[in-house]
Amino acid sequence: MLESFQEFFRTVADNHPTWNFIFFYDERQFGKVVSGLWMTIWLSVACVIFSVIIGVVGAAMQGAQSKIVRGIVSGYIQFFRNTPPFVQLLFFYFALGRFTPTYSPDGWLEIPIISNVGWAMISLSFFAGAFNVEIFRAGIESVPKSTQEAASALGYTRLQIYRYIVFPLALRVSIPSLNNNLVNLVKTTTQAFVIAVPELLYESITIWNDFPSAQNPMMVVLFVSYLALVGVVVLGMNKWEREMRVPGYGG
Amino acid sequence: MSWTKDQPIVSIKNVHKSFGSLEVLKGVSLDVMKGEVICIIGPSGSGKSTLIRCINALNDIQDGSITVEGQEVHDPNLDQLELRKKVGMVFQQYNLFPHKTALQNIMMAPVLVLKQDKAEVEARARVLIKKVRLEGKEDSYPGELSGGQQQRVAIARSLAMNPDVMLFDEVTAALDPETVKEVLVTIKELAAEGMTCVLVTHEMGFAREVADHIYFTDRGVIVEHGPPATFFDDAKDPRTVEFLGQIL
């Protein structure tokens, strides 16, 4: 079964020199596609989680009394929202990476404690996080002051008001915009390519550099993979939005 | 605190309150005894809502004193939770928590704030739902209830904290005329049970019926006050007479 499958794509490659689906019959290339896909998923999941945490914490910090705290948050947003993520990745890896401590497992090698994958996670999380702060802030601002006042009159502390009233309501308002931003984040993980993170785009390019005949098939793989990945994100977010919906509240 | 029941439960003395340069309360004094129902009436902008919001420290004051059961409300070292356990408040716009059902709205504060046992709170909440005549609406969300029903949930939510004083801030002002009555009936029952109530209201007929004492405010001062019979039928101050002439 598997052999005839592989045989079929070998024949395709022989007859159509631009359609070499090499990963279907060459185990090494198949391994690259799979590991690239895993890296993309791993990077996406980690960045989604961290960027949402950054968004929640940042939005809470924007409500702080201290002008300095609010200034830091808005400076952070300006920097990460208004510069290209591509440049940010380069900056984190090459400029900041130079100052990170290293360790040596064998006395010879010097390995930085933050790898290029680590820097990609940090950089992309802060990039998407800047947008998430703005998204959550808009959600928080949509919660009427009078609702918070009612909680306050019932003896809720500020923290309880945030946790049980403001945050759950703000989240419901934020989900559609959050959905958009997380979709963008998953797609932006391809830019980690620039610091040689072996994600799907990186692996695809190495494959077609070795086998130019595999370029078209690799592009198909890229499109199909991202359509599927983003599709999962969108489906998940839509399901979440439906589950969070409260009768008579919001759209 | 050496508060005893023969002293005013709420005592307001010479309160001044400004928003920026705008002075809203210019020396207001009034006392509320336990079990008393007082109504504050007056034209809009006269400071009635501000006054009752000061009673549970939702607004601060610039001068004077407000005590609840002998406790100074505007003491910087005030234990706000202690105050808010004693004072319940119902708002014009209901302000229910839209993501919680009617029952959850009522249960949340006793469970979260007073750390009471959930099962016991639930039993009490169901009794309160019955009391405000909303049986069958326990699991409805605020968005599924009419204004009058939401306002009764809000009243039950405040009562669940077992307050000693209830503040009502124009609680029927946002309601359809036909639902006003159901809310007023609920308040009337509360008053009859001996709950101390401070109401800001535009419902003159209701004020006349339930209040023990009426206060008329205009431009930040109490112009005139007295028991309903004297107040409505025998008003002295020209401003009171004019106001009553306009609305009655």
Side-chain angles (χ1 to χ4, degrees):
Chain A
M1 174 66 194
L2 181 65
E3 262 160 40
S4 64
F5 178 82
Q6 291 178 334
E7 201 45 51
F8 171 76
F9 282 103
R10 264 200 194 94
T11 325
V12 171
D14 288 343
N15 298 333
H16 307 275
T18 56
W19 290 100
N20 181 7
F21 287 82
I22 189 164
F23 48 87
F24 279 143
Y25 58 84
D26 181 327
E27 213 169 293
R28 211 176 115 73
Q29 309 309 321
F30 182 74
K32 279 185 170 182
V33 172
V34 171
S35 79
L37 195 57
W38 272 122
M39 179 55 80
T40 291
I41 291 170
W42 165 228
L43 202 55
S44 299
V45 170
C47 290
V48 162
I49 292 169
F50 288 133
S51 73
V52 168
I53 292 172
I54 290 169
V56 172
V57 173
M61 281 168 70
Q62 269 193 331
Q65 306 278 336
S66 155
K67 263 194 176 147
I68 299 166
V69 173
R70 291 202 307 266
I72 290 171
V73 177
S74 74
Y76 154 67
I77 293 169
Q78 294 302 324
F79 180 81
F80 280 91
R81 196 186 52 185
N82 303 357
T83 58
F86 200 93
V87 178
Q88 290 165 15
L89 280 158
L90 291 172
F91 171 76
F92 270 92
Y93 184 61
F94 290 110
L96 296 185
R98 200 176 301 159
F99 303 108
T100 48
T102 56
Y103 70 98
S104 186
D106 55 4
W108 295 94
L109 273 172
E110 293 243 329
I111 301 173
I113 54 166
I114 303 176
S115 65
N116 57 344
V117 177
W119 281 119
M121 275 178 196
I122 294 169
S123 172
L124 292 170
S125 298
F126 275 102
F127 166 68
F131 290 86
N132 286 349
V133 172
E134 290 288 80
I135 289 166
F136 286 127
R137 186 180 61 99
I140 288 169
E141 280 171 6
S142 76
V143 179
K145 282 278 167 294
S146 55
T147 308
Q148 302 175 46
E149 209 163 52
S152 175
L154 286 163
Y156 288 62
T157 61
R158 276 178 60 112
L159 195 66
Q160 285 172 328
I161 293 174
Y162 189 77
R163 180 168 161 202
Y164 295 105
I165 313 296
V166 175
F167 185 70
L169 291 173
L171 194 60
R172 287 173 168 83
V173 175
S174 305
I175 291 175
S177 319
L178 190 62
N179 191 350
N180 278 336
N181 191 37
L182 296 184
V183 164
N184 263 327
L185 173 59
V186 170
K187 294 186 293 183
T188 309
T189 58
T190 49
Q191 299 192 9
F193 165 78
V194 76
I195 54 171
V197 171
E199 43 70 58
L200 189 60
L201 178 65
Y202 181 93
E203 295 290 15
S204 300
I205 291 176
T206 62
I207 292 173
W208 82 55
N209 279 344
D210 291 345
F211 305 93
S213 57
Q215 192 174 37
N216 288 354
M218 284 323 298
M219 286 192 186
V220 173
V221 168
L222 283 168
F223 279 122
V224 170
S225 303
Y226 281 101
L227 281 171
L229 275 178
V230 169
V232 168
V233 172
V234 170
L235 280 178
M237 292 293 285
N238 288 349
K239 185 163 181 278
W240 191 33
E241 192 179 345
R242 273 197 307 279
E243 277 169 8
M244 297 277 284
R245 190 165 292 160
V246 165
Y249 182 72
Chain B
M1 301 300 155
S2 56
W3 179 75
T4 54
K5 289 192 175 177
D6 54 338
Q7 292 168 327
I9 187 164
V10 176
S11 180
I12 299 173
K13 287 197 177 66
N14 194 29
V15 163
H16 289 259
K17 160 78 188 164
S18 309
F19 290 108
S21 60
L22 179 71
E23 195 173 23
V24 186
L25 300 176
K26 302 167 186 167
V28 173
S29 301
L30 65 85
D31 284 337
V32 187
M33 301 302 291
K34 187 160 178 56
E36 217 177 9
V37 176
I38 71 151
C39 286
I40 303 169
I41 63 172
S44 47
S46 63
K48 344 180 260 303
S49 288
T50 307
L51 179 63
I52 73 165
R53 288 165 56 85
C54 289
I55 298 176
N56 72 345
L58 282 180
N59 285 145
D60 58 352
I61 58 174
Q62 269 73 53
D63 198 16
S65 133
I66 299 177
T67 58
V68 174
E69 295 184 1
Q71 184 183 31
E72 176 57 54
V73 172
H74 294 276
D75 179 352
N77 303 316
L78 166 84
D79 181 350
Q80 244 180 22
L81 176 59
E82 273 309 304
L83 172 71
R84 280 156 182 182
K85 277 199 259 181
K86 291 176 195 159
V87 183
M89 183 152 185
V90 185
F91 300 84
Q92 181 176 349
Q93 294 295 343
Y94 342 125
N95 298 346
L96 293 177
F97 307 133
H99 59 308
K100 297 286 175 184
T101 63
L103 191 67
Q104 288 168 337
N105 261 278
I106 298 169
M107 289 175 60
M108 268 172 89
V111 172
L112 291 174
V113 177
L114 304 179
K115 317 279 181 218
Q116 290 173 346
D117 175 66
K118 210 170 165 183
E120 185 234 319
V121 172
E122 185 175 335
R124 217 169 66 220
R126 288 187 187 279
V127 171
L128 283 169
I129 290 245
K130 218 172 271 174
K131 188 184 167 96
V132 297
R133 301 198 179 81
L134 285 173
E135 284 151 296
K137 299 289 183 190
E138 288 86 350
D139 298 323
S140 301
Y141 285 90
E144 299 171 309
L145 299 173
S146 74
Q149 291 171 332
Q150 288 190 59
Q151 195 57 293
R152 284 181 283 154
V153 174
I155 293 172
R157 180 176 68 171
S158 271
L159 291 174
M161 296 289 282
N162 282 327
D164 296 333
V165 182
M166 286 286 282
L167 309 176
F168 295 90
D169 185 7
E170 301 193 26
V171 293
T172 57
L175 297 176
D176 298 331
E178 63 266 35
T179 55
V180 167
K181 206 179 147 205
E182 58 194 35
V183 173
L184 293 183
V185 166
T186 306
I187 299 174
K188 212 188 292 178
E189 285 170 358
L190 267 181
E193 285 167 21
M195 175 63 79
T196 310
C197 299
V198 179
L199 300 111
V200 168
T201 184
H202 292 295
E203 300 288 333
M204 294 304 145
F206 174 72
R208 184 177 196 138
E209 195 181 335
V210 300
D212 297 309
H213 212 86
I214 311 265
Y215 288 84
F216 174 70
T217 59
D218 190 19
R219 286 171 229 155
V221 292
I222 291 172
V223 176
E224 190 162 1
H225 65 94
T230 18
F231 178 85
F232 284 108
D233 300 329
D234 200 13
K236 301 274 187 309
D237 193 280
R239 277 191 278 176
T240 321
V241 176
E242 192 197 339
F243 177 74
L244 291 175
Q246 276 165 356
I247 55 164
L248 286 181

